[in-house]
C-alpha cells in the first residue's frame, strides 16, 4: 500500500525511531512498535489514521495488519480524531470513593459535552479511564503526559481555563527530547 | 518508627539526581557485587533474604532466579515489570519518580546475578513522565560508568532500556508483558514453558516487579540475613503499601512486615484513621483483585487474633474469612460506602481489561458488569445475585492467565460478606437512588 505524501516523520522523529529500534536485537525491530506508535500519534494530530499506521508498518518493515492489531488493542491509541486536549478522568474504586463521578459530571456541564464527546471547537475530548496509579491523590485525571491530582471543582475549572488559553495540543510525549534517548 | 530500606532517603532534597543519590551511598550494591561477589553469591544473598515477589503473587525471588535456564550462547534477559495497573496500587510510580536510581541500581546488581547483558524496564504508557525520569537516571548511570561496557572496570557489560506500554492492565501479567515488549497485543501465553525457560524472544527471562528489584539493593548492601531479620515468618523485610480511599493520610508507606492492620489504618504514622471520624466498613487490602473484607475480619482474623500486614496473616482463614497481601494496594471504605457500587467499578475495570482470549473471562466479565449495573439501577432480582455467584465460579480457574480469577474474587467476596446489601438493592428497588456518600475533599 502506498502512503500519501504528507505522512512523514520530521527528521528529529526519524532520529528517535532509529534510536528506539537500536534498543532491540537485530531483526526484533517490531519491539519498537509501541513507542513508535506513541510518537506517530504525537506527530499526527493525536490519533492514528490507517495511513499513519501503514507508514509505521513501512518504517518497521512489518505488515500493516501487525500494526492495526496492536493499535486497536491498547487503550492509549486513538483510532479516531480527538480534541487537542484529551481529558482522561479515572473513575475506578479509589477515585470513585473520592468523588470521581462528580468530577466527570462537572466537566460535562462545564464543557457542554458528554463522556466520549469532543467540544465543537475541537479543544477538548472527555474520556473516562481505569486506574492510572494515582489512587492516593484521588480524584485525578490526566491530560497529555501530565497528571492532575487531588481534583476539586475549582481546580478542574482552572486547569480547563489554562489549557484553553494555551490552546496547544497535549500529547503523551510532551517534553520528551532526543537527548533522553 | 519502622525501619526503612527503600524509602530511607526519600526525604532528602535532590535524591532524584545521580549526584545526591551517590552521595548517600547509591550504587554501593553494584560496587560490592561486581568487585567482591560472584553472581551465585548475589543469588545466595537474595535466597537468604526470603524476599518474595512484590508484584502480587509473592513468589520467592531467589527461587525464581535459580530456575533461570543458562544454555550456552543464548542471551538471558531481566525484565522489570513497571506496568502497575492494579487498581489501588501506586507504590512503583512513587518509588520510580522519587528515587529512580534505586531501580536502576537494582537492575544492574540483579542483571549481574542473572548473567543478563541487556535488560528492560517495561513501564505502563500512562507513566510516560516517569519513563522520562528513568531515562534521565539511566543516562546519568551510563555517563558515570555504571552501565555500558566494562562497568567500573569489572569486565561486566550491561545495557538497560525503558520500554513504554500502550495502556493495558493485562500487560502486567508477565507473559503478556513479554508479548507487548515484542511489539504484539498483550495476550498472555500458555505456560509452560515459563519465562525462565522461554521468555523474551524465546530466551530465558526473569520478570520481576519494580519493588522486588529495588529491594535487591539493601539485600546486597546489608546481607540477606539482615533483611530476613525484619518481618514475621516467611514475610521478611519491608513492603511498600499504597493506601487510598477514606483515610486521613493517603499515600505510600514503607512498613516492616508484621505491623498490625489496625495500627496501619489508625496510627498517625500511617493512614491516620478514617476521614471525618467515620467508622470503617471494609478494606480491599492488596489491590482490586483480592477479596474485600468487612471491618471486623480485616482487624482480627476469624480466630480472634489481630491481623498483621504479612502474606500469611492476611490470608489466614482462606477465602472464607481472609484475603491476600497482593500488590499492597490498600483501599479503605467508610461506613457510608456502597459495596455494590464499588464492586461495579471493579467489574467494569475487569471487563474493560480482559484481553479476550478466553471465553469465560471475555464473556463472564461483561455479564458480571451488566448484572451489577442492573442491580444498582434497581432492576435486579434475587436470582441475579445467584447468577452473579455462578458466573464468577465459572470464570475462576478456567482461563489461561489469572486475570479471570482476579475478576472473580472481588465479586465472590462482596457477595460472601455483603449479600444483604445486594438484596437491599433488589428489595428496595423503588427507593434506590445513587447513594452520594461523600463530599469532595477540599484541599
Ligand atoms: C492480570 C495481571 C496483572 C498483573 N499486573 C502486574 C503489575 O502491574 N506489576 C507487577 O509487578 N506484576 C503484575 N502481575 C504479576 C506478574 O505476572 C508477575 O507475577 C510479576 O511481575 C513477577 O514479579 P515479582 O515476582 O517480582 O512479583 C500481574 C499479574 C496478572 C495476572
Ligand atoms: S483508582 Fe483512580 S488512579 Fe487508581
Amino acid at each position: 500500500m502506498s502512503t500519501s505524501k504528507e505522512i512523514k516523520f520530521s527528521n528529529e522523529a526519524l532520529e528517535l525511531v532509529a534510536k528506539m529500534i537500536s534498543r532491540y536485537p537485530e531483526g526484533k525491530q517490531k519491539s519498537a512498535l509501541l513507542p513508535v506508535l506513541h510518537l506517530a500519534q504525537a506527530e499526527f494530530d493525536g490519533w492514528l489514521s490507517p495511513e499513519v499506521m501503514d507508514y509505521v508498518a513501512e518504517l518497521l518493515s512489518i505488515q500493516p495488519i501487525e500494526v492495526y492489531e496492536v493499535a486497536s488493542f491498547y487503550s492509549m491509541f486513538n483510532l479516531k480524531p480527538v480534541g487537542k486536549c484529551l481529558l482522561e478522568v479515572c473513575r475506578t474504586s479509589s477515585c470513585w470513593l473520592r468523588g470521581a463521578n462528580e468530577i466527570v459530571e462537572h466537566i460535562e456541564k462545564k464543557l457542554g459535552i458528554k463522556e466520549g464527546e469532543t467540544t465543537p471547537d475541537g479543544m477538548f475530548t472527555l474520556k473516562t479511564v481505569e486506574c492510572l496509579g494515582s489512587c492516593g491523590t484521588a480524584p485525578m485525571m490526566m491530560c497529555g503526559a501530565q497528571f492532575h491530582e487531588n481534583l476539586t471543582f475549582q481546580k478542574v475549572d482552572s486547569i480547563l481555563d489554562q489549557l484553553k488559553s494555551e490552546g496547544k495540543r497535549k500529547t503523551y510525549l510532551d517534553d520528551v527530547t532526543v537527548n533522553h534517548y | 518508627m519502622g525501619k526503612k530500606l527503600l524509602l530511607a532517603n526519600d526525604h532528602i532534597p535532590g535524591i532524584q539526581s545521580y549526584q545526591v543519590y551517590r552521595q548517600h551511598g547509591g550504587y554501593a550494591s553494584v560496587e560490592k557485587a561486581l568487585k567482591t561477589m560472584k553472581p551465585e553469591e548475589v543469588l545466595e544473598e537474595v535466597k537468604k533474604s526470603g524476599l518474595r515477589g512484590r508484584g502480587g503473587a509473592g513468589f520467592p525471588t531467589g527461587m525464581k532466579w535459580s530456575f533461570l535456564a543458562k544454555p550456552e550462547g543464548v542471551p538471558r534477559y531481566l525484565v522489570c515489570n513497571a506496568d502497575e495497573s492494579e487498581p489501588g496500587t501506586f507504590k512503583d510510580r512513587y518509588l520510580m519518580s522519587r528515587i529512580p536510581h534505586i531501580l536502576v541500581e537494582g537492575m544492574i546488581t540483579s542483571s549481574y546475578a542473572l548473567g543478563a547483558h541487556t535488560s528492560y524496564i517495561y513501564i505502563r504508557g500512562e507513566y510516560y513522565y516517569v519513563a522520562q525520569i528513568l531515562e534521565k537516571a539511566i543516562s546519568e548511570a551510563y555517563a558515570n560508568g555504571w552501565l555500558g561496557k566494562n562497568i567500573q572496570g569489572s569486565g561486566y557489560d550491561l545495557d538497560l532500556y525503558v520500554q513504554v506500554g500502550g495502556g493495558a492492565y493485562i500487560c502486567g501479567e508477565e507473559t503478556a508483558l513479554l508479548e507487548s515488549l515484542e511489539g504484539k497485543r498483550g495476550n498472555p501465553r500458555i505456560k509452560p514453558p515459563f519465562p525462565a525457560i522461554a521468555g523474551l524472544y524465546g530466551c530465558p527471562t526473569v520478570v520481576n516487579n519494580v519493588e522486588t528489584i529495588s529491594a535487591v539493593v539493601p539485600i546486597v548492601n546489608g546481607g540477606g540475613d539482615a533483611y530476613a531479620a525484619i518481618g514475621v515468618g516467611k514475610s521478611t523485610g519491608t513492603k511498600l503499601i499504597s493506601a487510598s480511599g477514606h483515610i486521613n493520610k493517603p499515600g505510600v508507606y514503607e512498613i516492616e512486615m508484621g505491623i498490625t492492620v489496625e495500627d496501619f489504618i489508625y496510627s498517625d504514622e500511617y493512614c491516620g484513621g478514617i476521614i471525618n471520624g467515620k467508622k470503617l466498613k471494609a478494606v480491599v487490602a492488596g489491590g482490586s483483585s483480592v477479596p474485600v473484607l468487612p471491618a471486623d475480619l480485616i482487624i482480627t482474623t476469624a480466630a480472634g487474633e489481630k491481623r498483621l500486614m504479612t502474606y500469611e496473616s492476611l490470608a489466614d482463614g482462606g477465602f472464607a474469612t481472609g484475603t491476600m497481601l497482593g500488590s499492597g494496594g490498600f483501599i479503605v471504605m467508610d461506613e457510608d460506602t456502597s459495596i455494590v457500587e464499588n464492586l461495579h467499578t471493579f467489574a467494569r475495570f475487569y471487563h474493560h481489561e480482559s484481553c479476550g482470549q478466553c471465553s469465560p473471562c471475555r464473556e463472564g466479565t461483561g455479564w458480571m458488569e451488566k448484572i451489577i449495573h442492573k442491580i444498582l439501577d434497581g432492576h435486579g432480582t434475587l436470582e441475579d445475585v445467584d447468577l452473579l455467584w455462578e458466573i464468577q465460579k465459572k470464570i475462576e480457574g478456567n482461563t489461561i492467565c489469572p486475570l479471570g480469577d482476579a475478576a472473580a474474587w472481588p465479586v465472590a467476596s462482596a457477595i460472601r460478606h455483603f449479600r444483604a446489601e445486594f438484596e437491599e438493592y433488589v428489595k428496595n428497588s423503588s427507593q434506590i437512588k445513587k447513594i452520594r456518600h461523600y463530599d469532595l475533599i477540599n484541599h
Side-chain angles (χ1 to χ4, degrees):
Chain A
M1 207 182 288
S2 68
T3 45
S4 66
K5 281 235 167 62
E6 61 275 29
I7 294 176
K8 188 170 183 322
F9 277 150
S10 63
N11 284 337
E12 200 200 22
L14 282 172
E15 202 181 312
L16 211 46
V17 170
K19 290 204 163 149
M20 285 168 177
I21 292 174
S22 75
R23 295 181 162 195
Y24 309 98
E26 238 187 278
K28 304 295 182 192
Q29 77 282 357
K30 185 175 169 176
S31 274
L33 181 51
L34 268 68
V36 173
L37 282 176
H38 277 299
L39 190 61
Q41 189 162 272
E43 289 266 305
F44 302 113
D45 297 329
W47 71 292
L48 299 169
S49 65
E51 292 75 22
V52 166
M53 290 191 275
D54 291 346
Y55 174 66
V56 168
E58 221 176 86
L59 276 180
L60 294 177
S61 317
I62 55 179
Q63 295 300 318
I65 183 71
E66 295 178 89
V67 180
Y68 306 160
E69 64 173 8
V70 163
S72 60
F73 183 86
Y74 296 93
S75 58
M76 290 174 82
F77 299 126
N78 304 312
L79 301 182
K80 287 189 193 131
V82 292
K84 281 186 178 168
C85 298
L86 179 60
L87 306 171
E88 304 185 71
V89 189
C90 170
R91 53 172 186 171
T92 316
S93 172
S94 307
C95 282
W96 168 75
L97 289 168
R98 302 293 287 242
N101 286 0
E102 284 70 11
I103 294 290
V104 173
E105 279 165 25
H106 180 77
I107 298 175
E108 286 180 338
K109 248 186 256 155
K110 173 144 174 126
L111 297 179
I113 53 172
K114 289 275 169 219
E115 178 206 333
E117 294 177 352
T118 302
T119 52
D121 62 358
M123 191 62 216
F124 295 105
T125 299
L126 176 61
K127 184 179 176 189
T128 55
V129 296
E130 302 298 345
C131 180
L132 293 178
S134 188
C135 333
T137 42
M140 69 83 64
M141 67 173 176
M142 87 186 256
C143 180
Q146 177 90 38
F147 277 32
H148 298 282
E149 303 166 82
N150 294 315
L151 293 177
T152 58
F153 292 163
Q154 246 179 346
K155 204 161 168 184
V156 168
D157 289 347
S158 72
I159 292 165
L160 296 186
D161 293 346
Q162 169 88 26
L163 289 170
K164 188 155 185 175
S165 71
E166 282 175 20
K168 277 202 297 234
R169 180 170 292 286
K170 294 284 174 189
T171 84
Y172 298 125
L173 272 65
D174 286 348
D175 303 328
V176 174
T177 64
V178 177
N179 281 340
H180 279 131
Y181 272 90
Chain B
M1 279 280 272
K3 201 167 172 63
K4 291 193 174 28
L5 298 175
L6 301 178
L7 298 179
N9 291 335
D10 187 33
H11 60 283
I12 294 171
I15 194 71
Q16 209 190 50
S17 76
Y18 171 75
Q19 261 187 338
V20 177
Y21 181 75
R22 178 76 178 135
Q23 272 162 18
H24 288 84
Y27 290 93
S29 79
V30 179
E31 271 177 323
K32 183 171 175 184
L34 264 53
K35 293 194 177 148
T36 70
M37 296 168 84
K38 295 203 187 84
E40 309 83 75
E41 290 170 326
V42 179
L43 170 60
E44 205 43 47
E45 291 305 317
V46 172
K47 275 190 184 160
K48 272 199 256 172
S49 74
L51 175 66
R52 292 166 66 177
R54 303 297 194 223
F59 192 81
T61 306
M63 199 187 296
K64 181 186 265 191
W65 287 14
S66 64
F67 292 156
L68 186 68
K70 298 187 167 128
E72 278 293 307
V74 178
R76 306 192 275 276
Y77 294 103
L78 171 63
V79 177
C80 173
N81 189 341
D83 194 58
E84 189 166 75
S85 309
E86 171 96 355
T89 315
F90 46 100
K91 64 181 178 82
D92 296 340
R93 175 170 80 105
Y94 186 90
L95 185 62
M96 290 185 289
S97 57
R98 306 277 296 213
I99 318 180
H101 281 283
I102 197 170
L103 177 59
V104 176
E105 179 176 355
M107 286 298 286
I108 302 167
T109 306
S110 305
S111 298
Y112 172 71
L114 295 166
H117 296 288
T118 306
S119 296
Y120 295 97
I121 299 171
Y122 180 97
I123 186 168
R124 68 180 295 184
E126 294 90 340
Y127 286 1
Y128 224 110
Y129 82 93
V130 185
Q132 288 176 249
I133 293 171
L134 289 174
E135 296 277 10
K136 182 157 179 288
I138 289 171
S139 65
E140 287 173 330
Y142 269 105
N144 288 282
W146 300 104
L147 281 169
K149 293 256 175 274
N150 191 18
I151 295 170
Q152 304 290 321
S154 67
Y156 174 63
D157 306 335
L158 176 68
D159 283 310
L160 175 60
Y161 302 114
V162 178
Q163 160 86 312
V164 287
Y169 166 63
I170 190 61
C171 291
E173 193 282 333
E174 57 186 14
T175 61
L177 185 155
L178 296 173
E179 288 286 296
S180 182
L181 187 46
E182 293 181 6
K184 301 178 199 154
R185 293 165 75 92
N187 289 345
R189 299 174 181 169
I190 293 174
K191 298 192 255 188
F194 288 91
I197 309 297
L200 184 62
Y201 310 127
C203 301
T205 302
V206 165
V207 181
N208 272 135
N209 175 258
V210 171
E211 185 187 347
T212 312
I213 290 170
S214 302
V216 171
V217 172
I219 287 169
V220 168
N221 283 335
D225 288 332
Y227 189 87
I230 303 170
V232 178
K234 287 189 173 155
S235 298
T236 61
T238 63
K239 174 87 190 83
L240 298 180
I241 305 290
S242 321
S244 68
H246 295 141
I247 45 176
N248 284 316
K249 292 169 56 199
V252 174
Y253 296 100
E254 181 169 14
I255 61 157
E256 283 189 26
M257 293 268 202
I259 65 169
T260 66
V261 171
E262 189 172 18
D263 203 27
F264 184 68
I265 296 174
Y266 291 103
S267 118
D268 279 336
E269 197 181 333
Y270 306 111
C271 302
I274 314 296
I275 39 175
N276 301 324
K278 294 268 182 188
K279 286 205 193 78
L280 174 67
K281 177 168 185 175
V283 171
V284 173
S288 59
S289 306
V290 311
V292 60
L293 286 185
D296 51 342
L297 281 178
I298 189 72
I299 300 294
T300 52
T301 66
E305 282 171 20
K306 284 212 182 289
R307 222 184 260 284
L308 310 179
M309 298 287 281
T310 62
Y311 292 100
E312 293 74 22
S313 179
L314 283 166
D316 188 277
F319 276 7
T321 57
T323 182
M324 283 162 39
L325 178 60
S327 65
F330 198 91
I331 309 171
V332 178
M333 289 170 252
D334 75 11
E335 55 188 315
D336 299 332
T337 308
S338 160
I339 293 292
V340 184
E341 209 173 338
N342 181 64
L343 180 65
H344 181 245
T345 76
F346 286 156
R348 187 177 55 205
F349 170 80
Y350 289 107
H351 180 207
H352 185 256
E353 301 300 337
S354 172
C355 81
Q357 269 194 119
C358 315
S359 325
C361 175
R362 180 187 63 238
E363 304 301 320
T365 51
W367 277 59
M368 293 197 301
E369 185 198 341
K370 287 194 192 98
I371 294 170
I372 297 166
H373 186 258
K374 183 182 168 196
I375 293 173
L376 274 176
D377 243 18
H379 299 102
T381 63
L382 289 177
E383 288 73 40
D384 283 330
V385 185
D386 295 331
L387 181 59
L388 208 48
W389 181 265
E390 284 305 313
I391 296 169
Q392 65 78 23
K393 249 189 8 200
K394 293 204 164 75
I395 301 174
E396 188 189 11
N398 291 324
T399 54
I400 291 175
C401 92
L403 188 140
D405 303 340
W409 295 339
V411 174
S413 56
I415 298 177
R416 188 181 298 122
H417 300 297
F418 297 96
R419 190 178 183 106
E421 211 171 302
F422 287 83
E423 293 181 353
E424 194 69 15
Y425 274 95
V426 170
K427 289 180 190 150
N428 297 326
S429 59
S430 59
Q431 295 156 20
I432 284 183
K433 296 246 166 15
K434 285 246 170 98
I435 305 164
R436 294 276 176 247
H437 51 74
Y438 35 69
D439 283 321
L440 274 180
I441 316 300
N442 284 313
H443 294 275

